[in-house]
Amino acid sequence: MKGFNRYRGRFAPSPTGPLHFGSLVAALGSCLEARAQGGEWLVRMEDVDEPRCSPDVAAAMLRTLERLGFEWDGAVMVQSARKPHYRELLERLKQAGLAYPCGCTRRELADSAIAHDGAAIYPGTCRSGLPPGKAARSWRLRVDDASVTFEDAIQGTIRQQLGRDVGDFVLLRADGYFAYQLAVVADDADQGITHVVRGADLLDSTPRQIHLQRCLGLPTPAYAHLPVALNAQGEKLSKQTLAAAVDAMPAERTLLAALRFLGQAPPQDLGGKASIWAWALANWRLDEVPRERTLGLPAGM
Ligand code: GLU
């Protein structure tokens, strides 16, 4: 049986490029909070967007985490191996009349209003049936007038009216891959995740995930969204924005910088990796994490 009361957290990177400071912050924050609560901490490779991911990158990420001194519980779950589970959830949503096929192309949606995350807010063209001559390309979730409010442990009360703010969103993409929103909800539930600690770039996705959990009768974990590191150009770190790989930096310096970024105050003279971890595990305080969605990257990272 999945431990209901036991804290279980996770770090769920997408292996699209080497681990950078931004992903390290999410790894460290989620790990330290889980350990401070006496809980388990799992790692999951979110390679659901297979064309953008690679097993080599995933393996390198795990090696980097190990080199930095992270220790996770159990086997690493890999999304590309879980398609039958996602398909099953999609079938349940179809049967409940909550998922419908959509024949719209990206170009046809180009004039739609844009949601916070840059995706088009779906205007509802195929909601009551595919227009004549159109074939199904993707599957969407009917959100109607659902609204979601949740209390984020760092960012406070978050409210979203799904129909207005994001629209009917994609569950199965036109290229045949499942959407992140469906995969993450399936995986968090199947892994018995009780607490999600991750970057605030995902804050606007959380109401969609909570709504999906409700549609599927799955439990909703507690959420805490950490500030996201921005580079000097104000961009989120990624392979596209040429973020430096943390592998190229000394582990001690990177860990200390990530702790400070998260509002913790490790002394200068901690010495090696083992003593930094010992200090962090003994002194981690979630309530010291800055209550911001974004923060500038520390110098040298
Ligand atoms: N795979 C997502 C990312 O790397 C994170 C998903 C999550 O933590 O829920 O941005």
Side-chain angles (χ1 to χ4, degrees):
M1 178 175 130
K2 284 169 189 160
F4 262 100
N5 297 316
R6 177 103 196 255
Y7 185 114
R8 189 179 275 174
R10 81 328 186 255
F11 171 52
S14 301
T16 54
L19 197 82
H20 52 68
F21 187 77
S23 20
L24 170 65
V25 162
L28 194 61
S30 60
C31 178
L32 290 174
E33 179 60 12
R35 299 305 186 206
Q37 300 290 336
E40 293 171 304
W41 181 69
L42 314 188
V43 172
R44 176 165 81 224
M45 276 299 154
E46 296 212 323
D47 62 349
V48 69
D49 188 358
E50 288 176 64
R52 292 184 58 232
C53 297
S54 112
D56 293 343
V57 173
M61 269 186 162
L62 295 177
R63 281 198 305 273
T64 305
L65 288 173
E66 276 169 348
R67 190 183 66 89
L68 288 164
F70 284 93
E71 287 172 18
W72 54 89
D73 294 303
V76 174
M77 180 181 266
V78 180
Q79 288 188 325
S80 53
R82 288 190 28 88
K83 284 177 235 177
H85 299 271
Y86 307 148
R87 197 161 293 123
E88 191 189 310
L89 290 193
L90 178 61
E91 284 310 315
R92 274 169 57 190
L93 294 166
K94 286 184 193 175
Q95 267 157 31
L98 291 170
Y100 65 86
C102 171
C104 297
T105 61
R106 217 176 267 264
R107 183 175 308 173
E108 284 166 332
L109 298 177
D111 294 334
S112 307
I114 300 296
H116 280 301
D117 63 2
I121 298 180
Y122 187 60
T125 322
C126 303
R127 192 179 293 139
S128 40
L130 285 169
K134 285 246 177 196
R137 292 169 49 81
S138 57
W139 281 80
R140 289 181 184 272
L141 185 78
R142 183 190 303 282
V143 299
D144 296 321
D145 55 0
S147 77
V148 170
T149 303
F150 73 98
E151 208 47 41
D152 187 87
I154 298 171
Q155 309 289 341
T157 307
I158 305 294
R159 242 179 233 110
Q160 210 176 63
Q161 209 166 330
L162 292 177
R164 184 193 64 199
D165 299 336
V166 291
D168 293 349
F169 57 91
V170 171
L171 301 168
L172 179 64
R173 304 178 347 182
D175 60 6
Y177 292 102
F178 285 94
Y180 155 70
Q181 308 292 357
L182 182 67
V184 77
V185 162
D187 298 347
D188 283 338
D190 286 346
Q191 291 193 295
I193 301 299
T194 60
H195 291 73
V196 172
V197 178
R198 60 184 176 190
D201 50 326
L202 293 159
L203 199 53
D204 292 325
S205 284
T206 307
R208 263 171 283 181
Q209 294 169 20
I210 294 176
H211 181 63
L212 262 176
Q213 289 153 3
R214 291 177 183 166
C215 291
L216 289 160
L218 300 173
T220 292
Y223 289 93
H225 286 82
L226 306 167
V228 168
L230 301 184
N231 67 18
Q233 287 72 46
E235 302 159 328
K236 191 190 138 189
L237 307 187
S238 70
K239 194 170 125 186
Q240 286 69 37
T241 59
L242 306 177
V246 299
D247 235 358
M249 307 165 196
E252 292 77 8
R253 206 182 85 197
T254 324
L255 287 169
L256 286 173
L259 283 170
R260 296 202 176 101
F261 182 88
L262 287 168
Q264 316 298 302
Q268 282 299 349
D269 53 355
L270 278 174
K273 207 165 62 179
S275 32
I276 296 174
W277 272 101
W279 182 90
L281 290 166
N283 293 282
W284 166 256
R285 300 261 315 262
L286 188 71
D287 57 4
E288 296 291 346
V289 174
R291 292 169 191 271
E292 318 276 345
R293 287 198 188 202
T294 57
L295 281 177
L297 190 60
M301 290 296 128

